[in-house]
Structures are given as C-alpha cells and as structure tokens.
Amino acid sequence: MHGMINKSIEDLVTINFGADKWEAIKAKAGIKVEAFVSNESYPDEMTYGLVGAATEVLGLSVSQVLFAFGEFWVLHTANKGYGDLLKSAGRTMPEFLDYLPLFHTRVALIFPNLKPPRFECSDRHPDRITMHYFSPRPGLSAVVSGMLSGVAKLYETPAEITQTQFKDKGADHDEFLVCWGDSIKK
Ligand code: HEM
C-alpha cells in the first residue's frame, strides 16, 4: 500500500499512544523501514503486519485498530493533507457519500500506481443510503466503517453506520447502511 497509509498508522499510534509504542509495533512486525515515504508503494503484507502488531502491543482487537485507523485517516490524514480534495467531493455528507464511487478516480490523479477500493451506492433515501465496498484486499471492512464514521464527523452530521453484509462470512462483498436525520431519531 501507499506509504501514506503506513505513515498514517504511525501518526495514529504516535499521537494517541506515544513514540515508544510505535517503535515496539515496528519491532514486533519486523519492519526495518526508518520512515515511510508517502509516494512510494510498500507490500500490503507490511501494512497487515503493522495492524497485527498494533493489536498485540496496544491490547486492542483487529476491528478496533482498523476502525480507529479509518476515522483517523479521514479526520486527520486526509483532512489535513487533502482537505480541499475531500471537501470538493460534496457540500454535505449525503452528497459526499453519493460521490464516493468516483472519489478515488480523482485520488488516482495524485497517487501513481494506486490500487483503490471500489464503492457503489444503492437505495438512496433522503435520510439513508446503502454503500457497497469491493476490494481484492481481505479483512478491511472495519476500516470502511471507521472511514464512513469519520466522514459523518467531518460534516458534523450525526449518523449510524451498520455493516449489513460480510464478505468474510461468504457474502459477495461488504455492504453498509448509513442512516442520518429522521432515520435515527428515536
Ligand atoms: C482525500 C481523501 C482520500 C485519499 C487521499 C485517499 C487515498 C487512498 C490511498 C492512497 C489508498 C491506498 C491504495 C493503494 O495503496 O493502492 C487508499 C485506500 C483506501 N481508501 Fe482512500 N483515500 C481518501 C478517502 C477515502 C474515503 C473517504 C474512503 C471511504 C469512506 C476511502 C476508502 C479507502 C479504503 C477502504 C482503502 C483500502 C484499500 C482497499 O480497500 O483495497 N478512502 N485511499
């Protein structure tokens, strides 16, 4: 994966848990790279290795680490580094979600050799939408939940994100229901 992803995991750990924990995670994952270069591609195994080591060093589950990373990616890494790109994709959260299927096409103009995920929307309503996520990379659905949650926070729109289909339980792909407004009022 792109160096920016690994660098973002480093920032997440360093800011929230300290530099010592990051060094412990890198050592446990057997990673000798001193600093990740944003525009360089690294083997996916390195990213999975970092996540696995983070669960052990921080005492968190895989989904907790992936969800935290997804939120951090949107609210910290993408928002600080690519805020204009991010916000130009929609004036509101529903607009952004509608645009998400096209979003990485624009990201690909900045990042060479991108192997982006694919998103599709269905069942659009004024207060909910279904998001379909496709990727050849396994096990990353909790990242998507975290990213969708980050997008909701970015737009200051209270939302509920529920995964409704699971690829790792045999479904064709992962599916998420995103609800806001009247659909979450009790
Ligand atoms: C400015 C904002 C964003 C930028 C610059 C960006 C960029 C990237 C980059 C560089 C990768 C690595 C792909 C690779 O190395 O081949 C990636 C992966 C990914 N992105 Fe984005 N992204 C952004 C926003 C989002 C948002 C808002 C979502 C979903 C809500 C999202 C979902 C994902 C997922 C799930 C992956 C993991 C790869 C996979 O599933 O195969 N991204 N993105």
Side-chain angles (χ1 to χ4, degrees):
M1 276 220 235
H2 263 264
M4 199 184 159
I5 302 270
N6 296 335
K7 176 75 178 69
S8 178
I9 298 176
E10 173 178 351
D11 290 346
L12 166 69
V13 172
T14 312
I15 291 170
N16 292 294
F17 302 95
D20 291 356
K21 294 283 188 212
W22 172 245
E23 288 308 322
I25 288 168
K26 264 206 322 187
K28 196 171 253 314
I31 287 172
K32 306 271 186 295
V33 177
E34 194 49 50
F36 292 108
V37 180
S38 276
N39 259 336
E40 209 159 285
S41 264
Y42 297 86
D44 281 5
E45 294 67 41
M46 219 179 236
T47 310
Y48 284 100
L50 284 172
V51 171
T55 62
E56 289 183 43
V57 171
L58 304 176
L60 298 169
S61 68
V62 174
S63 20
Q64 282 173 323
V65 170
L66 293 178
F67 186 91
F69 169 70
E71 277 203 334
F72 184 87
W73 171 260
V74 172
L75 293 171
H76 186 94
T77 311
N79 194 23
K80 300 246 155 62
Y82 300 89
D84 290 346
L85 173 66
L86 200 56
K87 299 222 179 73
S88 71
R91 282 167 303 150
T92 62
M93 183 192 72
E95 271 185 24
F96 184 94
L97 296 177
D98 232 7
Y99 189 75
L100 189 57
L102 288 175
F103 188 73
H104 284 84
T105 328
R106 292 178 64 190
V107 174
L109 299 174
I110 311 175
F111 291 94
N113 312 318
L114 195 74
K115 280 196 284 162
R118 188 161 68 81
F119 290 98
E120 279 176 22
C121 302
S122 70
D123 307 297
R124 289 179 177 80
H125 295 269
D127 55 6
R128 62 193 188 279
I129 197 166
T130 300
M131 191 65 73
H132 305 262
Y133 161 64
F134 305 83
S135 171
R137 297 181 171 112
L140 298 181
S141 62
V143 175
V144 178
S145 290
M147 287 186 178
L148 293 172
S149 169
V151 168
K153 287 184 178 168
L154 185 72
Y155 285 97
E156 296 176 2
T157 305
E160 271 175 20
I161 292 114
T162 314
Q163 186 165 355
T164 46
Q165 296 271 9
F166 296 78
K167 192 175 171 195
D168 60 12
K169 291 184 188 152
D172 170 69
H173 63 274
D174 293 300
E175 195 182 282
F176 303 82
L177 177 65
V178 184
C179 293
W180 62 92
D182 286 347
S183 67
I184 56 170
K185 285 197 183 122
K186 302 283 179 270

